[in-house]
Amino acid sequence: MSRVAAVNERYRATAAVARDGVSLFVVADENGATLNAAIGAVARMAAEDGSDLWEHVLGAAKSLRWHLAFRPQPLEFNPSVTTAAHAVVAQADAIRPALGDDGTALLDALTEAAERVAAEDPPIGPYLLESVVEVGPAACLVVADGTLSRGQIASWLGPLGFRVLSPGMLADATSIADVAYVVGPPRLMRTSLATAPPTPEVSFFVPSWFGDRSLPTTAIADYAQGAIRPRVRVFELGKLKPNADEVAPEPEPIEDFAPAPVWKSQSSAHRVPGVDEVVVRKVLLSGGYAIWMDDGERIRTLDPSQPTGERVTYTDVAAVEPGTYLVLRLGVTERTVLYEATMASMGVLRAVVESSQDRWKQALLGRLRSAGRPHVESAIRRLGVKAAEQAEAWTQPTLARPQLDSDFKLLLQWLEIAEEPTLSNATKFRRARFRAASHMREQLELAMASADIEALRVEGHVKVHGAGFADIIATRVLAISPHTNVVPRHDAREPFLDGGGRWLE
């Protein structure tokens, strides 16, 4: 099918869903309801307690609940549910000695609920299987919430001939079908599944304990004329046992439902950083890592959707968000490696240039330490230095010199350092650094060419091996802290182990 024909089909599907609405199959799930109630009780206890003690227990429990909403396949095809349930028990056992009777009783209820979930197949699975078999493989699609869910559901339905796609795959022209069965609450799925649907008929499968049954809307829907707002037809499947809680679940804010990052107790640092310090935010990464990310201009990233040779690039720090893939060196920062590569490339000039650079940078650093950054910036700005606010950054070994010759000459004059050969040496260093950075990018591209990109998409991180690159990791950003910290400058952007994102994987 041509691209134009596929677009026409999408328009027809959108018109059909706008006219007929979407179906919401609400499946009775007693075990999930019990787990959901136990999580709510633990969350209330944690809020009253106000400590960090409960964070990992809640993280593990919410992760299990999330899997229940999006992984309907039988347990033999559902290793993530079993693993998540075991994690709940392990985290509960870890804090049990620190709790009183009330807390212990809540943990007992939570772990019992988790164990029941791990002992019985999710109830949505049989209804989903019945639906797709009735329609047939050629006429339907199954839509998972992401790559990992898609892989596990496909291991169950794929051998039967059914297509399982992630939302990002729906633009493919070969995915045309009559009906899309979406696994998961609409409120937690992409808005486009309802406003720009892949098929003329869309049905969502939702567990009974998820209270919010509304459709997602775009940010401009309330202001747009003729915004698409499909109606929802609700069908209840199965029945809770008489002893189950018959009270209709209250809609829960998404931010409370989703597994949350564990930041520990922290508040934004308000003190002015010292000369050798920098303001940062913690960034949690796939694979159990984190970095302190400063507000520098760029950071090296990877785009797995690009062809080999064009995947590694630089991205503005301000544009980094959850889902961005960072390319990092384990045990060292990119700046350090670039500096060493630059100096090594200079051969016999290395000693002269290194000494020259060190002389003016140490002089500037001494002024900053003795007089303070505000005074130094004010003093050189009065001289006419246009980028005076960069004074502290210029002391870093990897930053060659001020961008403007005029700024550098005025700075050297203020530092009482001869203009030559300082300016020439700094310029040579800048040119060598540019060549070294280009060479490093080429080497990274070669190393990334051997990386398993599908594993990166599924697992969230991958290590690559090549000449001099055994310590490189490409890893997905899981969360960025809303709080700032002040850390030593040399700690910024160097990966370290941190378990705060383990429930977000």
Side-chain angles (χ1 to χ4, degrees), residues 271-280 294 373 392 396 485-490 492:
R271 70 179 178 87
V272 176
V275 174
D276 298 315
E277 296 178 319
V278 64
V279 177
V280 296
D294 57 16
R373 184 173 58 188
E392 186 175 324
Q396 297 307 301
N485 293 78
V486 175
V487 302
R489 187 178 295 274
H490 58 74

Side-chain angles (χ1 to χ4, degrees), residues 327-387:
V327 180
L328 303 167
R329 293 176 181 271
L330 299 177
V332 67
T333 63
E334 184 80 3
R335 292 188 295 265
T336 300
V337 175
L338 178 57
Y339 179 79
E340 289 300 324
T342 301
M343 283 301 179
S345 71
M346 301 193 76
V348 295
L349 292 177
R350 172 172 183 161
V352 173
V353 171
E354 199 164 25
S355 176
S356 176
Q357 288 288 93
D358 186 64
R359 186 179 304 111
W360 73 266
K361 287 178 180 286
Q362 286 299 318
L364 177 57
L365 185 60
R367 297 282 185 97
L368 286 164
R369 285 173 173 168
S370 61
R373 184 173 58 188
H375 175 80
V376 168
E377 291 180 3
S378 177
I380 62 176
R381 186 175 288 110
R382 286 196 301 270
L383 287 176
V385 175
K386 291 182 171 57

Side-chain angles (χ1 to χ4, degrees), residues 102-248:
D102 290 344
T104 299
L106 288 178
L107 284 187
D108 289 342
L110 181 65
T111 55
E112 288 173 8
E115 289 169 345
R116 286 176 60 185
V117 164
E120 298 181 20
D121 290 339
I124 289 180
Y127 291 105
L128 175 61
L129 181 60
E130 180 182 355
S131 297
V132 297
V133 169
E134 181 180 355
V135 174
C140 71
L141 303 171
V142 176
V143 183
D145 73 302
T147 303
L148 191 56
S149 295
R150 172 189 171 269
Q152 292 193 10
I153 297 174
S155 69
W156 170 45
L157 295 179
L160 302 178
F162 295 99
R163 291 170 291 172
V164 183
L165 307 178
S166 64
M169 300 169 66
L170 292 175
D172 190 342
T174 62
S175 64
I176 300 301
D178 296 329
V179 56
Y181 294 109
V182 185
V183 180
R187 192 67 180 83
L188 299 178
M189 302 296 285
R190 289 191 182 184
T191 305
S192 59
L193 286 171
T195 59
T199 56
E201 184 178 338
V202 177
S203 297
F204 292 86
F205 281 86
V206 182
S208 58
W209 45 264
F210 190 86
D212 189 342
R213 296 170 184 176
S214 62
L215 294 179
T217 58
T218 63
I220 64 172
D222 292 336
Y223 310 98
Q225 185 175 6
I228 299 174
R229 290 188 174 89
R231 63 189 179 93
V232 179
R233 303 186 304 274
V234 178
F235 302 91
E236 295 185 353
L237 303 176
K239 187 176 181 180
L240 293 175
K241 295 179 181 179
N243 62 343
D245 188 358
E246 297 181 357
V247 178

Side-chain angles (χ1 to χ4, degrees), residues 363-436:
L364 177 57
L365 185 60
R367 297 282 185 97
L368 286 164
R369 285 173 173 168
S370 61
R373 184 173 58 188
H375 175 80
V376 168
E377 291 180 3
S378 177
I380 62 176
R381 186 175 288 110
R382 286 196 301 270
L383 287 176
V385 175
K386 291 182 171 57
E389 72 281 356
Q390 295 295 315
E392 186 175 324
W394 291 332
T395 65
Q396 297 307 301
T398 51
L399 203 128
R401 41 156 285 185
Q403 184 69 27
L404 299 176
D405 284 352
S406 58
D407 277 0
F408 196 20
K409 291 176 181 179
L410 289 170
L411 178 66
L412 292 175
Q413 178 184 338
W414 184 69
L415 293 173
E416 300 179 349
I417 292 178
E419 182 177 306
E420 291 295 347
T422 307
L423 190 150
S424 297
N425 286 330
T427 302
K428 291 174 183 176
F429 176 81
R430 183 167 65 181
R431 292 170 180 165
R433 189 193 62 185
F434 178 80
R435 291 192 297 269

Side-chain angles (χ1 to χ4, degrees), residues 253-278:
I254 292 178
E255 59 270 19
D256 293 337
F257 177 83
V262 177
W263 300 116
K264 300 296 183 182
S265 294
Q266 61 173 13
S267 58
S268 292
H270 297 293
R271 70 179 178 87
V272 176
V275 174
D276 298 315
E277 296 178 319
V278 64

